[in-house]
Amino acid sequence: NVFNKCVSILANYRSHTTARTSPSGQLILPESLQLLPLFCLSLRKSRMLRHSLPKGVTSAKPFPTADERAYHIFYGRMVSPNMSLQCVHPHLFQVSGLRTRDGDWITPPVLQENKFDEANVIAASMRPVCQLPKTMNPSIACLDESGMYILDDRFSFYLFIGRDVPDEKWQDLLSVGGVGSSRIRGSSVPTGGLSLASTESAPKLRSVIHQLRMLNSPN
């Protein structure tokens, strides 16, 4: 149904705009619709619409489970269009080599009050916000083996640590508790319990995660 709706939208755009004069084998889209095919394809693969079991398989553990699908559908019905795009096309932040003010809480400048401004709007605009690290295209081609990244899909955070990251670099952000015997992709990062370290750099990462959690709230 999602696929058919997407095809119908694009076909109607071609039939009722100047795009009808373009060659038949060429797909011309306005800037506002350029990401629509990608969004629909990602939506079909999301936990809201994907099949819980591959075709022909009956004995495997379902993914997603009924509870996971129900939560994702509930979240999808609550979020704004801008937030819904991130659910299927996540944000990737580079946390190695943070800029000077990344992770710092910044208070916006004072706004001049006027009769059209409500008190709660002014109060909300004056709340401190955390400056987030620079975002990257969430593609394997953009990842560096010597870098560390956070992937945010609005449901979970995933920390990627490259195999070439020195021990002292990731230990500046993370502390290890209950170290396991296995290791991640052959690197020196243990797979035991990880938490933020008690260093000068770790609070910046904690602030970034806190800010992302606030942004991820559907309300």
Side-chain angles (χ1 to χ4, degrees), residues 52-73:
S52 296
L53 292 174
K55 291 184 178 180
V57 178
T58 58
S59 58
K61 179 181 178 181
F63 179 79
T65 63
D67 289 342
E68 289 174 327
R69 188 187 303 277
Y71 173 74
H72 280 70
I73 292 176

Side-chain angles (χ1 to χ4, degrees), residues 12 41 45 50 53 75 94 123 129 162 179 196 206:
N12 278 280
L41 179 61
K45 297 180 179 180
R50 65 181 294 176
L53 292 174
Y75 190 95
Q94 183 175 0
V129 294
V179 180
L196 295 178
R206 182 180 291 107

Side-chain angles (χ1 to χ4, degrees), residues 69 104 123 136 168 208:
R69 188 187 303 277
D104 291 346
M136 305 176 61
E168 59 273 10
V208 168

Side-chain angles (χ1 to χ4, degrees), residues 118-217:
E118 297 182 2
N120 57 344
V121 175
I122 297 175
S125 65
M126 296 303 298
R127 293 175 183 172
V129 294
C130 176
Q131 178 169 306
L132 300 176
K134 60 182 179 181
T135 58
M136 305 176 61
N137 186 26
S139 170
I140 190 65
C142 298
L143 299 181
D144 187 357
E145 293 288 358
S146 60
M148 295 185 293
Y149 309 89
I150 287 181
L151 184 71
D152 174 24
D153 65 355
R154 292 203 175 272
F155 297 104
S156 305
F157 295 123
Y158 300 91
L159 176 63
F160 293 86
I161 302 178
R163 66 174 74 236
D164 296 333
V165 176
D167 288 357
E168 59 273 10
K169 191 172 183 179
W170 66 261
Q171 288 175 355
D172 190 44
L173 295 175
L174 302 172
S175 61
V176 183
V179 180
S181 58
S182 59
R183 298 182 182 274
I184 302 175
R185 295 186 58 187
S187 69
S188 58
V189 183
T191 58
L194 298 176
S195 59
L196 295 178
S198 300
T199 62
E200 294 183 359
S201 301
K204 288 180 173 290
L205 181 58
R206 182 180 291 107
S207 297
V208 168
I209 294 176
H210 180 69
Q211 178 69 71
L212 291 175
R213 282 176 173 170
M214 291 193 296
L215 294 175
N216 290 352
S217 173

Side-chain angles (χ1 to χ4, degrees), residues 34-136:
Q34 287 181 356
L35 293 179
L36 180 62
L38 174 63
F39 176 78
C40 292
L41 179 61
S42 301
L43 187 62
R44 292 182 63 189
K45 297 180 179 180
S46 69
R47 298 184 187 183
M48 288 185 289
L49 301 179
R50 65 181 294 176
H51 295 290
S52 296
L53 292 174
K55 291 184 178 180
V57 178
T58 58
S59 58
K61 179 181 178 181
F63 179 79
T65 63
D67 289 342
E68 289 174 327
R69 188 187 303 277
Y71 173 74
H72 280 70
I73 292 176
F74 168 78
Y75 190 95
R77 291 172 59 90
M78 295 284 292
V79 298
S80 64
N82 180 52
M83 294 174 65
S84 66
L85 181 60
Q86 188 184 341
C87 294
V88 296
H89 192 264
H91 285 167
L92 181 67
F93 300 93
Q94 183 175 0
V95 294
S96 55
L98 294 175
R99 295 169 296 185
T100 304
R101 302 213 64 182
D102 286 347
D104 291 346
W105 291 94
I106 301 173
T107 301
V110 178
L111 300 177
Q112 291 184 349
E113 297 187 21
N114 58 59
K115 60 181 180 181
F116 300 105
D117 290 331
E118 297 182 2
N120 57 344
V121 175
I122 297 175
S125 65
M126 296 303 298
R127 293 175 183 172
V129 294
C130 176
Q131 178 169 306
L132 300 176
K134 60 182 179 181
T135 58
M136 305 176 61

